[in-house]
Amino acid sequence: MDADGSALVDRAFGTGTQGNPVIRFNKFDTGGERSEHAAFAQVLRGFLTAFRDIAMHGPTAKWTVEEAEAIEILTLASHLHRRLDRCEKAK
């Protein structure tokens, strides 16, 4: 896919015109699974927007992070990666 950040999340996990994502966080069979999928895509989109690649986009503000906050951010990143590792390509 030729995209990054939120656009990449939208292309990969959005339902598009066919109503099915390219990549799924779950089986995507029930309404609950569809809701979970949409919510997780929103979390991923928000994370990528909040912590984008500063090397590519440049810093927009001086940002000081305390150790505890840095650990929380890395914990969320770890969780997102674990969930991404378990994703399936839609059939």
Side-chain angles (χ1 to χ4, degrees), residues 24-25 78-88:
R24 302 180 307 203
F25 290 109
S78 177
H79 174 71
L80 293 171
H81 276 276
R82 190 174 319 108
R83 289 291 304 264
L84 289 168
D85 285 344
R86 290 186 281 180
C87 284
E88 299 176 357

Side-chain angles (χ1 to χ4, degrees), residues 11 14 33 36 55 59 67-68 73-75 86 91:
R11 286 188 187 171
E33 288 173 338
E36 177 191 34
E67 181 180 357
I73 293 166
L74 291 171
T75 299
R86 290 186 281 180
K91 296 173 179 140

